[in-house]
Amino acid sequence: MEYVISNAMVARSFTSYLATIYGVSDSNSWRIEAHGLSPGYNMLDLPAVALIAVLTICISYSTKVSCRVNLVITIFHVALMGFVVAIGFAKGSVRNLIQPDGFAPFGAKGVWNGAALVYFSYIGYDAVSTMAEEVRLPSKAMPRGIAGSLVVVTCLYCLMATSLVLLLPYTQIDMTAPFATALREKTGWEWASIMVGIGACIGIVSSLLVAMLGQARYFCVIARAHLLPSWFAQIHPRTKTPLNASIVLGACTSVVALFTEMRILLDLIAIGTVFVFYMVANALIFKQHVKRGETSPWLTLCFLLCISSIAIGVTTYWQMGKGKVTALALGLTAGIVLSLIFKALVPRVSYPSTEKEWHAPLMPYLAVSSIYLNVCLMGSISIEAFARFAIWSFVAVIFYLIFSLHCSHDHATSLLQTTKKCTQVEFRPEKQTLHVVNIADLQMSKATTIMCIGSKGAAPTSFLARIESVS
């Protein structure tokens, strides 16, 4: 949901910037109004659909070609952002930072409300992790790539926002195509406005390309676990891409982009993103302190419930406008005390050295801080977004109970029965022959070579195929 809706919103913004290139101030002039549809869903965006269709073809054809195209686009886009920042600081005025209503006209609450909406900008960083299968040494390259790009892009984001407000007071900013409009009104440079419009369109293409690559691989991995029909996990033999997942998700994104206004999409993206990060923080604490068959989960679950309850209480108090500083101080103190008690009473479980991915620094304090922040951000989102998200979540849970739960269990059962047929494996270079009941019980590194011993009537290739099927 998160990726489809965010891609749809970005595609609709492409139409808004495309209009500014041709000097059209009304972005809806490039959209077709359908009078029979409800407001918010009646402006049909055909350019957005065309863009999604082209990018779907691109990512279905080749991952390598898509990444090369994205690299070229990104270099041009970063250069253009440098141009916009330079113009903003050179032609802008510091007075616009405090006029007309002061530096923070809506106070701290306004900052939080804005942060909740802009949070969707960080969706792209978890998309990087979906490319791990196509990266050399992902355990080293992925953290460096995510952390490095996060720092660089955050700095660029702040510089771009500052340059925009230096050019125009916040009350005069056009929300559909802000930078192109600001340059035209402040500097009078029509060519600069056109260049920024072109650059924004190119940047949107780059953003969409990466996000659509990521969402198809998410779908593919979920289907491999048999939580979705395995048809979505099929890799095309020639292009080596998840073709089925790419086409279906591209079609879904096109439908959403065709009908739905950006305002509705933005709220839904915000709550989806914040909720996912909230769940990840909870899951990290649970995974580090609970191991099936060895530790009881109840203390950890009670701790997570208490932390979430305190965060919800603080957020509610904050949104009601009562005792802001007091509520924040009490909530923070309670969270620190609970975390210290939990850390002292519930030890972390030990995992084999092959499962270091569950290790994280400053635990559980880092994850608890994430829970607090995400709950506070969710409190800034509109009630309508909560209602739409509740409907989506209800449908997803029903699908999980009816299909995913049973299909994944049946697959695991059949896999267990298949692996029990394996009786011998030979390891190299140790030259040890082991008799095992279940080959999945072996702790094997990526460098392990499995050799078929062979038996009457059993072809080595079929034996190795069964081994490969249990990875």
Side-chain angles (χ1 to χ4, degrees), residues 2-3 115 117-128 146 149-151 153-155 157-158 269 273 277:
E2 191 179 333
Y3 271 82
L117 293 179
V118 82
Y119 208 54
F120 82 94
S121 301
Y122 290 89
I123 293 176
Y125 298 101
D126 58 357
V128 177
I146 294 173
S149 60
L150 179 61
V151 171
V153 173
T154 300
C155 293
Y157 209 117
C158 294
I269 297 164
T273 307
F277 289 163

Side-chain angles (χ1 to χ4, degrees), residues 82-330:
F83 169 76
V84 172
V85 170
I87 293 297
F89 279 85
K91 295 290 185 178
S93 173
V94 179
R95 288 182 299 175
N96 291 334
L97 295 176
I98 56 176
Q99 291 180 353
D101 301 316
F103 180 72
F106 303 105
K109 184 178 178 180
V111 174
W112 277 105
N113 292 346
L117 293 179
V118 82
Y119 208 54
F120 82 94
S121 301
Y122 290 89
I123 293 176
Y125 298 101
D126 58 357
V128 177
S129 64
T130 64
M131 306 299 291
E133 292 182 348
E134 301 174 51
V135 175
R136 294 177 182 176
L137 298 176
S139 60
K140 293 183 179 180
M142 303 306 291
R144 293 172 183 173
I146 294 173
S149 60
L150 179 61
V151 171
V152 172
V153 173
T154 300
C155 293
L156 287 173
Y157 209 117
C158 294
L159 288 172
M160 291 285 285
T162 305
S163 67
L164 178 62
V165 183
L166 286 173
L167 286 170
L168 285 178
Y170 78 95
T171 54
Q172 300 178 25
I173 294 173
D174 180 7
M175 290 189 295
T176 57
F179 290 99
T181 306
L183 282 175
R184 181 186 294 114
E185 294 182 4
K186 182 65 178 180
T187 65
W189 296 347
E190 188 68 25
W191 64 270
S193 176
I194 294 174
M195 181 179 292
V196 170
I198 295 173
C201 290
I202 293 175
I204 287 168
V205 171
S206 173
S207 173
L208 267 178
L209 190 64
V210 174
M212 291 177 70
L213 276 170
Q215 74 172 4
R217 279 148 184 79
Y218 268 131
F219 227 54
C220 182
V221 170
I222 295 171
R224 284 179 189 170
H226 292 264
L227 299 171
L228 289 171
S230 57
W231 181 79
F232 290 108
Q234 293 179 9
I235 304 299
H236 194 273
R238 186 176 62 84
T239 63
K240 307 298 181 184
T241 59
L243 185 63
N244 298 338
S246 299
I247 292 174
V248 170
L249 288 170
C252 294
T253 306
S254 298
V255 171
V256 176
L258 179 64
F259 294 101
T260 317
E261 284 188 0
M262 292 173 61
R263 172 184 52 82
I264 297 173
L265 296 175
L266 183 59
D267 280 345
L268 199 50
I269 297 164
I271 189 172
T273 307
V274 173
F275 186 77
V276 165
F277 289 163
Y278 164 79
M279 293 299 294
V280 168
N282 281 273
L284 183 58
I285 294 176
F286 188 86
K287 182 69 176 177
Q288 288 203 343
H289 294 274
V290 177
K291 194 172 185 179
R292 180 184 292 182
E294 296 185 12
T295 57
S296 173
W298 297 111
L299 279 176
T300 304
L301 290 174
C302 288
F303 169 71
L304 294 175
L305 180 61
C306 290
I307 290 294
S308 295
S309 300
I310 295 172
I312 292 171
V314 170
T315 303
T316 304
Y317 214 50
W318 172 277
Q319 293 297 327
M320 291 172 62
K322 300 177 180 179
K324 296 178 181 178
V325 177
T326 305
L328 287 174
L330 289 176

Side-chain angles (χ1 to χ4, degrees), residues 368-391:
V368 168
S369 301
S370 180
I371 292 173
Y372 265 87
L373 289 171
N374 286 300
V375 171
C376 289
L377 290 171
M378 274 193 279
S380 305
I381 301 171
S382 66
I383 298 297
E384 291 82 2
F386 274 91
R388 296 185 181 104
F389 184 69
I391 293 171

